[in-house]
Amino acid sequence: MNFLNPVPVAVNNQSLRVTNLAWDFLKPIIKPGDIVVDATAGTGQDTLFLTQCVGETGHVFAFDIQAAALKQTQAVVEKNGFAGNITLVHKSHDLILNVLKQQGIKEQTVMAIMFNLGYFPGGDHAIITKVETTIKALNGALALLASGGLITICLYPGHSGGLEESEAVINWCEKLEKPFISHHFRTLNRKSPPTLAMIQRTR
Ligand SMILES: C[S@@+](CC[C@H](N)C(=O)[O-])C[C@H]1O[C@@H](n2cnc3c(N)ncnc32)[C@H](O)[C@@H]1O
């Protein structure tokens, strides 16, 4: 797998956003018909991206603990005509492994799992992802991840509780052993920039 080809479209004359960078890494990996997960649906932008990647023959599971986020996600995918291939899960993502198994999804069959941590931009900023549930969700995601697949994690150290969570996730990523490879991308000359961690299951 060559991660430098194609060149990420997030690298242009705009400020490079980790959310766009995650999409650029995922685009060449996700194929029509794949099973994928958005572990933090929020405004629905990542879910919409995933539904477009997997097409009508694939399936997206989108988790969020907030009904308002799932409502917005449903509206976004419906508006864009992609509502047929998603299951909205109004549960915490730490249940990811059990929920997907109950849906008949086997371990090592999910090509992409996106985490975009923090708070729902349009909602209560006090409701945030938490270290304990995030790490449990990541362990479930590892079990589900297919060979050649990718977990992306956008981290936001700038909000209250965000630095602790970012450090816990990076620490967890650093300890992963084969067949996993973990990566971390960050902007160097900004204070507390969002960063992107990624995990591959190698073939
Ligand atoms: C930064 S937003 C996600 C942005 C989203 N991916 C998008 O495209 O707009 C983080 C989301 O995680 C959700 N969240 C917080 N804790 C969660 C948990 N334990 N399980 C699932 N979702 C959670 C929040 O409700 C919020 O909507």
Side-chain angles (χ1 to χ4, degrees):
M1 189 183 308
N2 182 352
F3 268 63
L4 295 178
N5 188 15
V7 173
V9 294
V11 183
N12 53 28
N13 60 0
Q14 307 289 318
S15 165
L16 193 158
R17 295 164 61 109
V18 290
T19 45
N20 291 347
L21 196 55
W23 289 6
D24 289 331
F25 280 114
L26 288 166
K27 269 179 214 156
I29 289 172
I30 305 173
K31 300 282 181 287
D34 280 345
I35 307 290
V36 296
V37 176
D38 183 351
T40 49
T43 64
Q45 294 306 312
D46 290 329
T47 301
L48 177 62
F49 161 76
L50 290 170
T51 59
Q52 290 169 339
C53 290
V54 302
E56 288 177 7
T57 55
H59 204 86
V60 183
F61 292 91
F63 286 75
D64 208 292
I65 51 170
Q66 297 194 68
L70 292 175
K71 196 173 166 198
Q72 183 166 343
T73 296
Q74 172 127 27
V76 165
V77 291
E78 270 176 8
K79 189 175 163 205
N80 288 277
F82 279 92
N85 58 357
I86 82 168
T87 299
L88 299 174
V89 185
H90 189 191
K91 288 189 171 133
S92 173
H93 47 212
D94 65 296
L95 301 171
I96 185 170
L97 187 55
N98 283 347
V99 169
L100 265 73
K101 279 185 171 176
Q102 281 164 9
Q103 298 283 331
I105 308 300
K106 293 191 169 56
E107 292 189 13
Q108 297 189 36
T109 61
V110 177
M111 272 319 274
I113 303 168
M114 298 189 74
F115 288 82
N116 194 337
L117 301 177
Y119 53 78
F120 177 38
D124 182 349
H125 290 197
I127 303 175
I128 55 172
T129 50
K130 301 258 173 64
V131 171
E132 194 184 329
T133 38
T134 298
I135 297 295
K136 192 172 169 209
L138 286 168
N139 279 311
L142 280 189
L144 290 164
L145 192 65
S147 174
L150 194 61
I151 298 171
T152 61
I153 315 158
C154 290
L155 298 159
Y156 300 89
H159 67 79
S160 174
L163 179 61
E164 181 201 6
E165 183 177 44
S166 294
E167 287 176 347
V169 169
I170 292 161
N171 188 35
W172 176 87
C173 286
E174 284 173 345
K175 293 195 174 87
L176 291 176
E177 296 180 359
K178 286 182 180 175
F180 301 105
I181 306 183
S182 58
H183 313 264
H184 188 214
F185 300 83
R186 77 181 291 271
T187 303
L188 295 175
N189 63 341
R190 292 288 184 275
K191 195 166 176 263
S192 303
T195 71
L196 173 65
M198 298 199 307
I199 301 153
Q200 297 169 265
R201 183 192 281 273
T202 56
R203 293 176 195 281

